Amino acid sequence: MANVAEANPVTNAGGPSWTRWLVVVVPYVWLILFFVAPFLIIFKISLSDYAQAMPPYRPLFEGVGAVGDFISQLDFENYIFLTSDSLYILSYLSSLRIAAISTLLLLLIGYPMALAMARAPTSIRPTLVMLVVLPFWTSFLIRVYAWIGILKPDGLLTLLLQTVGLMGPDQQVQIFRTDYAVFIGIVYSYLPFMVLPLYSALEKMDNSLLEAASDLGCPPWKAFWKITFPLSMPGVIAGAMICFIPITGEFVIPDLLGGADTLMIGKTLWTEFFGNRDWPLASAVAVILLIMLVVPIMIFQNQQKKVV
Amino acid sequence: MAKTLGPVKRKFSPWTDPNAVPFIRFENITKRFGDFVAVDNLTLDIYEKEFFSLLGPSGCGKTTLMRMLAGFEEPTEGRILLQGQDIRGVPPYRRPTNMMFQSYALFPHMTVEKNIAFGLEQDNMPKGEITARVQELLKLVKLEQFAKRKPNQLSGGQRQRVALARSLAKRPKVLLLDEPLGALDKKLREETQFELMDLQHTLGMTFLIVTHDQEEAMTVSDRIAVMDKGIIMQVATPAEIYEAPNSRYVADFIGDINIIEGKIAETASALGAPGTVRIESEGLSIAVDQECQAVKDDHVAFAVRPEKVRISLDAPADTSANAFYGEVWDIGYLGDFSLFIVRSEDGRFFRAAQANVSRLVDRPITFGDMVWLTWSRDAGLVLTR
Ligand SMILES: Nc1ncnc2c1ncn2[C@@H]1O[C@H](COP(=O)(O)OP(=O)(O)OP(=O)(O)O)[C@@H](O)[C@H]1O
Ligand SMILES: [Mg+2]
């Protein structure tokens, strides 16, 4: 490092070499400390056996002397068990389905919002961005709870529809504790995460491109599909990933708004950890979830690099 | 001032025909952005198949004028007629104009080929024809090897050529080119100028072009409009603009010129010969053969181009008028010409250009020599504006 800096003083312009070193290292330390280490711990637990003890698994690491013994007790039993019970597979599939539908809904609602924001006069754009992030000022949990008050059979929505006259006094809205309520909750909670990346992609776009398209005989609606949408693709992908990944593992929303038959892997995971106290099995569920989400993303990103 | 390329100018002057109907007509056009007046009550006629240039300093409203014709801006006042039809409210995608943007505005996610084909695809031209047309255009702008590249993989000049090809693709009735050749090297620029003129002749398009290169405007245009602050100062053929500018502004803006402020001392009648004036300017007496509206004691300017001024070490026979005596202050060697800057005793400067007819490096006239500058009575002109 020092040699390079001496040979080429220009590269040293950023400051002394240890500051650069720090800038590079800090994110990695962070990642190792808060992602890799916990993941390895969870992975180790997933290879262990359930035990009625504290902590509730065996074997425990008992010193360097017993390493051989320790490793020999680890196995993939829990993973094999996951495949044998359809509950887990169905939970995974159901989670993916709910996440996919929600992401699509988010795109359909978020895109027009982001587009309107990006086309708004420059002076009011910061205000619009503020409004989008405003819900974050209230706790996420409270906001989801508020939806219970709105969606429950004798809730605000029923009241509103009855007042307006769209619904008789003896009728009630029957969506609380169904998948519909889950979708409403998810779309509501994740909308800012979809709108912001879309907005930042659309805002960057040069308006003269649309003028050029129009000049060449392309009416506005067509120009949207030929110019605006393809150029906003990075925003679409970012938004979709930021939403899809956490939705797949979502626990709070299906738990509060969903019915007993709303299967989601987050709920299953919670039951395994805290209901059954089967930490090894729960860890296996978590590891599979992670692999399920990370591997496709990595493949996708690789593909993207090849295109560019 | 070498003008190497360019086809022989055709005989074409519809603007002199009182019955000719203009193809494009800007009628009392005013464009305001807030309080700022970008185009100020401008009227301009452009004829079919004309090659028309807009010349003017940065920010004088050239792009704004084009954008109004293309349909991206509506005039605040006045109307634009295209073939006699008011085109207010017609969206850009329905106007028979194509524009090459000053910023190029190439589609970054499409290849060069796709960019050029874009307009043709909008017209649902058959695939085979599109391919053929695109090939033809790529050849024209010399970018055949770059067909599959994206705009961000091209140099500035290459991008400019893609933008040019894209605007030409649909062979529009009216082509608007906003500084189309600025980023090209001299040789390529001259070749492209030639190609553009050729295209215009064969396809019969009407060209409206903005350029900062006066030589280019002179070479390609049928007529030139010189603009200043949203106003047209003069519209005329290149020769007229150069030889008979109508104002100090135009004279000064186009080419190199000596401008001398003075007062009319005698008008035609007093001098005996009709169409002659004599100007007095702090001891310098200037006689000009010119019909002139100005009367005695009017403040006017006399303008004469350096190449029309003779320089000599010997005094002329008649030093009473059109003779400037001074010291050679500076010499600019321009290759084909040498420009002499001569300073009089009272500190005034006058420029004379002399063709370098021989390869003599030791010029007979050099720094510090006392010289006489003379010019004939029809060399310069009186400017009242
Ligand atoms: N959308 C706009 N809002 C406000 N002012 C504008 C706008 N467009 C142009 N102007 C102003 O109008 C004037 C004319 O601009 P225009 O782009 O027509 O100049 P131009 O003659 O093309 O200059 P250049 O040779 O630098 O391209 C400029 O002073 C510019 O600042
Ligand atoms: Mg301009």
PDB file of all heavy atoms in Angstrom, chain B residues 44-68:
ATOM      1  N   LEU B  44     -40.856  36.786 -39.223  1.00  0.00           N
ATOM      2  CA  LEU B  44     -39.849  36.180 -40.091  1.00  0.00           C
ATOM      3  C   LEU B  44     -40.530  35.215 -41.056  1.00  0.00           C
ATOM      4  O   LEU B  44     -41.386  34.434 -40.660  1.00  0.00           O
ATOM      5  CB  LEU B  44     -38.840  35.418 -39.223  1.00  0.00           C
ATOM      6  CG  LEU B  44     -37.760  34.612 -39.933  1.00  0.00           C
ATOM      7  CD1 LEU B  44     -36.840  35.528 -40.716  1.00  0.00           C
ATOM      8  CD2 LEU B  44     -36.950  33.814 -38.925  1.00  0.00           C
ATOM      9  N   ASP B  45     -40.161  35.311 -42.317  1.00  0.00           N
ATOM     10  CA  ASP B  45     -40.690  34.379 -43.315  1.00  0.00           C
ATOM     11  C   ASP B  45     -39.573  33.480 -43.807  1.00  0.00           C
ATOM     12  O   ASP B  45     -38.472  33.938 -44.091  1.00  0.00           O
ATOM     13  CB  ASP B  45     -41.234  35.150 -44.532  1.00  0.00           C
ATOM     14  CG  ASP B  45     -42.532  35.859 -44.189  1.00  0.00           C
ATOM     15  OD1 ASP B  45     -43.159  35.461 -43.191  1.00  0.00           O
ATOM     16  OD2 ASP B  45     -42.892  36.793 -44.914  1.00  0.00           O
ATOM     17  N   ILE B  46     -39.889  32.184 -43.907  1.00  0.00           N
ATOM     18  CA  ILE B  46     -38.921  31.246 -44.454  1.00  0.00           C
ATOM     19  C   ILE B  46     -39.628  30.501 -45.588  1.00  0.00           C
ATOM     20  O   ILE B  46     -40.792  30.122 -45.445  1.00  0.00           O
ATOM     21  CB  ILE B  46     -38.428  30.281 -43.359  1.00  0.00           C
ATOM     22  CG1 ILE B  46     -37.689  31.066 -42.274  1.00  0.00           C
ATOM     23  CG2 ILE B  46     -37.516  29.204 -43.947  1.00  0.00           C
ATOM     24  CD1 ILE B  46     -37.356  30.269 -41.048  1.00  0.00           C
ATOM     25  N   TYR B  47     -38.912  30.327 -46.701  1.00  0.00           N
ATOM     26  CA  TYR B  47     -39.561  29.769 -47.884  1.00  0.00           C
ATOM     27  C   TYR B  47     -39.241  28.290 -48.054  1.00  0.00           C
ATOM     28  O   TYR B  47     -38.259  27.779 -47.502  1.00  0.00           O
ATOM     29  CB  TYR B  47     -39.159  30.577 -49.122  1.00  0.00           C
ATOM     30  CG  TYR B  47     -39.709  31.972 -49.051  1.00  0.00           C
ATOM     31  CD1 TYR B  47     -39.014  32.963 -48.373  1.00  0.00           C
ATOM     32  CD2 TYR B  47     -40.956  32.269 -49.585  1.00  0.00           C
ATOM     33  CE1 TYR B  47     -39.537  34.243 -48.258  1.00  0.00           C
ATOM     34  CE2 TYR B  47     -41.487  33.541 -49.464  1.00  0.00           C
ATOM     35  CZ  TYR B  47     -40.781  34.526 -48.806  1.00  0.00           C
ATOM     36  OH  TYR B  47     -41.309  35.769 -48.675  1.00  0.00           O
ATOM     37  N   GLU B  48     -40.093  27.632 -48.840  1.00  0.00           N
ATOM     38  CA  GLU B  48     -39.919  26.207 -49.065  1.00  0.00           C
ATOM     39  C   GLU B  48     -38.557  25.944 -49.702  1.00  0.00           C
ATOM     40  O   GLU B  48     -38.121  26.686 -50.583  1.00  0.00           O
ATOM     41  CB  GLU B  48     -41.025  25.673 -49.975  1.00  0.00           C
ATOM     42  CG  GLU B  48     -41.033  24.170 -50.020  1.00  0.00           C
ATOM     43  CD  GLU B  48     -42.323  23.613 -50.598  1.00  0.00           C
ATOM     44  OE1 GLU B  48     -43.109  24.383 -51.143  1.00  0.00           O
ATOM     45  OE2 GLU B  48     -42.514  22.391 -50.486  1.00  0.00           O
ATOM     46  N   LYS B  49     -37.912  24.877 -49.216  1.00  0.00           N
ATOM     47  CA  LYS B  49     -36.605  24.438 -49.723  1.00  0.00           C
ATOM     48  C   LYS B  49     -35.497  25.440 -49.454  1.00  0.00           C
ATOM     49  O   LYS B  49     -34.446  25.402 -50.084  1.00  0.00           O
ATOM     50  CB  LYS B  49     -36.675  24.128 -51.222  1.00  0.00           C
ATOM     51  CG  LYS B  49     -37.656  23.028 -51.503  1.00  0.00           C
ATOM     52  CD  LYS B  49     -37.726  22.682 -52.952  1.00  0.00           C
ATOM     53  CE  LYS B  49     -38.871  21.703 -53.164  1.00  0.00           C
ATOM     54  NZ  LYS B  49     -39.204  21.501 -54.538  1.00  0.00           N
ATOM     55  N   GLU B  50     -35.740  26.340 -48.535  1.00  0.00           N
ATOM     56  CA  GLU B  50     -34.709  27.311 -48.205  1.00  0.00           C
ATOM     57  C   GLU B  50     -33.767  26.720 -47.155  1.00  0.00           C
ATOM     58  O   GLU B  50     -34.163  25.896 -46.335  1.00  0.00           O
ATOM     59  CB  GLU B  50     -35.347  28.593 -47.662  1.00  0.00           C
ATOM     60  CG  GLU B  50     -34.336  29.710 -47.503  1.00  0.00           C
ATOM     61  CD  GLU B  50     -34.977  31.047 -47.142  1.00  0.00           C
ATOM     62  OE1 GLU B  50     -36.204  31.107 -46.991  1.00  0.00           O
ATOM     63  OE2 GLU B  50     -34.212  32.009 -47.001  1.00  0.00           O
ATOM     64  N   PHE B  51     -32.519  27.145 -47.235  1.00  0.00           N
ATOM     65  CA  PHE B  51     -31.543  26.773 -46.205  1.00  0.00           C
ATOM     66  C   PHE B  51     -31.314  28.041 -45.402  1.00  0.00           C
ATOM     67  O   PHE B  51     -30.646  28.961 -45.853  1.00  0.00           O
ATOM     68  CB  PHE B  51     -30.242  26.301 -46.860  1.00  0.00           C
ATOM     69  CG  PHE B  51     -29.456  25.352 -46.013  1.00  0.00           C
ATOM     70  CD1 PHE B  51     -29.030  24.125 -46.531  1.00  0.00           C
ATOM     71  CD2 PHE B  51     -29.136  25.667 -44.695  1.00  0.00           C
ATOM     72  CE1 PHE B  51     -28.309  23.236 -45.742  1.00  0.00           C
ATOM     73  CE2 PHE B  51     -28.419  24.791 -43.910  1.00  0.00           C
ATOM     74  CZ  PHE B  51     -28.004  23.576 -44.439  1.00  0.00           C
ATOM     75  N   PHE B  52     -31.934  28.102 -44.231  1.00  0.00           N
ATOM     76  CA  PHE B  52     -31.995  29.349 -43.478  1.00  0.00           C
ATOM     77  C   PHE B  52     -31.183  29.225 -42.194  1.00  0.00           C
ATOM     78  O   PHE B  52     -31.343  28.264 -41.442  1.00  0.00           O
ATOM     79  CB  PHE B  52     -33.453  29.661 -43.143  1.00  0.00           C
ATOM     80  CG  PHE B  52     -33.667  31.078 -42.703  1.00  0.00           C
ATOM     81  CD1 PHE B  52     -34.064  32.046 -43.612  1.00  0.00           C
ATOM     82  CD2 PHE B  52     -33.477  31.445 -41.381  1.00  0.00           C
ATOM     83  CE1 PHE B  52     -34.258  33.359 -43.211  1.00  0.00           C
ATOM     84  CE2 PHE B  52     -33.664  32.756 -40.976  1.00  0.00           C
ATOM     85  CZ  PHE B  52     -34.059  33.717 -41.891  1.00  0.00           C
ATOM     86  N   SER B  53     -30.309  30.184 -41.929  1.00  0.00           N
ATOM     87  CA  SER B  53     -29.478  30.127 -40.720  1.00  0.00           C
ATOM     88  C   SER B  53     -29.854  31.211 -39.731  1.00  0.00           C
ATOM     89  O   SER B  53     -30.188  32.323 -40.123  1.00  0.00           O
ATOM     90  CB  SER B  53     -28.007  30.313 -41.066  1.00  0.00           C
ATOM     91  OG  SER B  53     -27.560  29.250 -41.853  1.00  0.00           O
ATOM     92  N   LEU B  54     -29.790  30.840 -38.463  1.00  0.00           N
ATOM     93  CA  LEU B  54     -29.948  31.813 -37.382  1.00  0.00           C
ATOM     94  C   LEU B  54     -28.591  32.013 -36.752  1.00  0.00           C
ATOM     95  O   LEU B  54     -27.932  31.059 -36.363  1.00  0.00           O
ATOM     96  CB  LEU B  54     -30.914  31.287 -36.320  1.00  0.00           C
ATOM     97  CG  LEU B  54     -32.386  31.224 -36.676  1.00  0.00           C
ATOM     98  CD1 LEU B  54     -33.151  30.534 -35.562  1.00  0.00           C
ATOM     99  CD2 LEU B  54     -32.938  32.623 -36.890  1.00  0.00           C
ATOM    100  N   LEU B  55     -28.201  33.281 -36.656  1.00  0.00           N
ATOM    101  CA  LEU B  55     -26.895  33.601 -36.103  1.00  0.00           C
ATOM    102  C   LEU B  55     -27.120  34.620 -34.999  1.00  0.00           C
ATOM    103  O   LEU B  55     -27.963  35.499 -35.132  1.00  0.00           O
ATOM    104  CB  LEU B  55     -26.049  34.230 -37.215  1.00  0.00           C
ATOM    105  CG  LEU B  55     -24.603  33.817 -37.404  1.00  0.00           C
ATOM    106  CD1 LEU B  55     -24.480  32.319 -37.539  1.00  0.00           C
ATOM    107  CD2 LEU B  55     -24.028  34.497 -38.637  1.00  0.00           C
ATOM    108  N   GLY B  56     -26.391  34.481 -33.932  1.00  0.00           N
ATOM    109  CA  GLY B  56     -26.560  35.461 -32.857  1.00  0.00           C
ATOM    110  C   GLY B  56     -25.825  35.021 -31.624  1.00  0.00           C
ATOM    111  O   GLY B  56     -25.476  33.849 -31.493  1.00  0.00           O
ATOM    112  N   PRO B  57     -25.608  35.948 -30.692  1.00  0.00           N
ATOM    113  CA  PRO B  57     -24.856  35.593 -29.490  1.00  0.00           C
ATOM    114  C   PRO B  57     -25.639  34.628 -28.602  1.00  0.00           C
ATOM    115  O   PRO B  57     -26.846  34.462 -28.763  1.00  0.00           O
ATOM    116  CB  PRO B  57     -24.652  36.941 -28.786  1.00  0.00           C
ATOM    117  CG  PRO B  57     -25.756  37.801 -29.286  1.00  0.00           C
ATOM    118  CD  PRO B  57     -26.042  37.352 -30.681  1.00  0.00           C
ATOM    119  N   SER B  58     -24.957  34.022 -27.667  1.00  0.00           N
ATOM    120  CA  SER B  58     -25.576  33.064 -26.760  1.00  0.00           C
ATOM    121  C   SER B  58     -26.708  33.728 -25.982  1.00  0.00           C
ATOM    122  O   SER B  58     -26.563  34.839 -25.505  1.00  0.00           O
ATOM    123  CB  SER B  58     -24.507  32.548 -25.795  1.00  0.00           C
ATOM    124  OG  SER B  58     -25.041  31.529 -25.019  1.00  0.00           O
ATOM    125  N   GLY B  59     -27.838  33.037 -25.915  1.00  0.00           N
ATOM    126  CA  GLY B  59     -28.967  33.549 -25.129  1.00  0.00           C
ATOM    127  C   GLY B  59     -29.846  34.534 -25.876  1.00  0.00           C
ATOM    128  O   GLY B  59     -30.704  35.162 -25.280  1.00  0.00           O
ATOM    129  N   CYS B  60     -29.686  34.652 -27.190  1.00  0.00           N
ATOM    130  CA  CYS B  60     -30.473  35.657 -27.910  1.00  0.00           C
ATOM    131  C   CYS B  60     -31.834  35.107 -28.351  1.00  0.00           C
ATOM    132  O   CYS B  60     -32.643  35.838 -28.897  1.00  0.00           O
ATOM    133  CB  CYS B  60     -29.706  36.186 -29.119  1.00  0.00           C
ATOM    134  SG  CYS B  60     -29.526  34.996 -30.439  1.00  0.00           S
ATOM    135  N   GLY B  61     -32.095  33.825 -28.115  1.00  0.00           N
ATOM    136  CA  GLY B  61     -33.419  33.286 -28.400  1.00  0.00           C
ATOM    137  C   GLY B  61     -33.512  32.371 -29.607  1.00  0.00           C
ATOM    138  O   GLY B  61     -34.607  32.048 -30.059  1.00  0.00           O
ATOM    139  N   LYS B  62     -32.391  31.897 -30.103  1.00  0.00           N
ATOM    140  CA  LYS B  62     -32.403  31.034 -31.284  1.00  0.00           C
ATOM    141  C   LYS B  62     -33.091  29.702 -30.994  1.00  0.00           C
ATOM    142  O   LYS B  62     -33.987  29.265 -31.725  1.00  0.00           O
ATOM    143  CB  LYS B  62     -30.962  30.768 -31.773  1.00  0.00           C
ATOM    144  CG  LYS B  62     -30.152  32.026 -32.013  1.00  0.00           C
ATOM    145  CD  LYS B  62     -28.736  31.727 -32.449  1.00  0.00           C
ATOM    146  CE  LYS B  62     -27.881  31.026 -31.423  1.00  0.00           C
ATOM    147  NZ  LYS B  62     -27.521  31.827 -30.254  1.00  0.00           N
ATOM    148  N   THR B  63     -32.655  29.062 -29.902  1.00  0.00           N
ATOM    149  CA  THR B  63     -33.246  27.769 -29.551  1.00  0.00           C
ATOM    150  C   THR B  63     -34.729  27.930 -29.242  1.00  0.00           C
ATOM    151  O   THR B  63     -35.553  27.103 -29.657  1.00  0.00           O
ATOM    152  CB  THR B  63     -32.497  27.160 -28.355  1.00  0.00           C
ATOM    153  OG1 THR B  63     -31.127  26.986 -28.714  1.00  0.00           O
ATOM    154  CG2 THR B  63     -33.078  25.817 -27.965  1.00  0.00           C
ATOM    155  N   THR B  64     -35.062  29.005 -28.546  1.00  0.00           N
ATOM    156  CA  THR B  64     -36.463  29.253 -28.198  1.00  0.00           C
ATOM    157  C   THR B  64     -37.322  29.339 -29.459  1.00  0.00           C
ATOM    158  O   THR B  64     -38.418  28.776 -29.521  1.00  0.00           O
ATOM    159  CB  THR B  64     -36.577  30.541 -27.376  1.00  0.00           C
ATOM    160  OG1 THR B  64     -35.688  30.456 -26.268  1.00  0.00           O
ATOM    161  CG2 THR B  64     -37.977  30.765 -26.887  1.00  0.00           C
ATOM    162  N   LEU B  65     -36.811  30.029 -30.470  1.00  0.00           N
ATOM    163  CA  LEU B  65     -37.543  30.167 -31.726  1.00  0.00           C
ATOM    164  C   LEU B  65     -37.794  28.789 -32.353  1.00  0.00           C
ATOM    165  O   LEU B  65     -38.903  28.471 -32.792  1.00  0.00           O
ATOM    166  CB  LEU B  65     -36.717  31.051 -32.671  1.00  0.00           C
ATOM    167  CG  LEU B  65     -37.460  31.728 -33.805  1.00  0.00           C
ATOM    168  CD1 LEU B  65     -38.524  32.649 -33.256  1.00  0.00           C
ATOM    169  CD2 LEU B  65     -36.482  32.511 -34.678  1.00  0.00           C
ATOM    170  N   MET B  66     -36.779  27.963 -32.361  1.00  0.00           N
ATOM    171  CA  MET B  66     -36.912  26.614 -32.926  1.00  0.00           C
ATOM    172  C   MET B  66     -37.890  25.772 -32.124  1.00  0.00           C
ATOM    173  O   MET B  66     -38.683  25.031 -32.685  1.00  0.00           O
ATOM    174  CB  MET B  66     -35.559  25.924 -32.898  1.00  0.00           C
ATOM    175  CG  MET B  66     -34.648  26.350 -34.000  1.00  0.00           C
ATOM    176  SD  MET B  66     -33.346  25.134 -34.129  1.00  0.00           S
ATOM    177  CE  MET B  66     -32.645  25.602 -35.679  1.00  0.00           C
ATOM    178  N   ARG B  67     -37.795  25.880 -30.814  1.00  0.00           N
ATOM    179  CA  ARG B  67     -38.669  25.074 -29.959  1.00  0.00           C
ATOM    180  C   ARG B  67     -40.135  25.444 -30.168  1.00  0.00           C
ATOM    181  O   ARG B  67     -41.011  24.597 -30.037  1.00  0.00           O
ATOM    182  CB  ARG B  67     -38.270  25.219 -28.493  1.00  0.00           C
ATOM    183  CG  ARG B  67     -36.950  24.507 -28.167  1.00  0.00           C
ATOM    184  CD  ARG B  67     -36.503  24.796 -26.754  1.00  0.00           C
ATOM    185  NE  ARG B  67     -37.502  24.419 -25.769  1.00  0.00           N
ATOM    186  CZ  ARG B  67     -37.686  23.186 -25.326  1.00  0.00           C
ATOM    187  NH1 ARG B  67     -36.936  22.221 -25.765  1.00  0.00           N
ATOM    188  NH2 ARG B  67     -38.618  22.929 -24.446  1.00  0.00           N
ATOM    189  N   MET B  68     -40.387  26.695 -30.500  1.00  0.00           N
ATOM    190  CA  MET B  68     -41.770  27.095 -30.766  1.00  0.00           C
ATOM    191  C   MET B  68     -42.251  26.487 -32.077  1.00  0.00           C
ATOM    192  O   MET B  68     -43.393  26.062 -32.191  1.00  0.00           O
ATOM    193  CB  MET B  68     -41.883  28.622 -30.784  1.00  0.00           C
ATOM    194  CG  MET B  68     -41.795  29.224 -29.403  1.00  0.00           C
ATOM    195  SD  MET B  68     -42.255  30.955 -29.353  1.00  0.00           S
ATOM    196  CE  MET B  68     -40.801  31.709 -30.024  1.00  0.00           C
TER     197      MET B  68
END
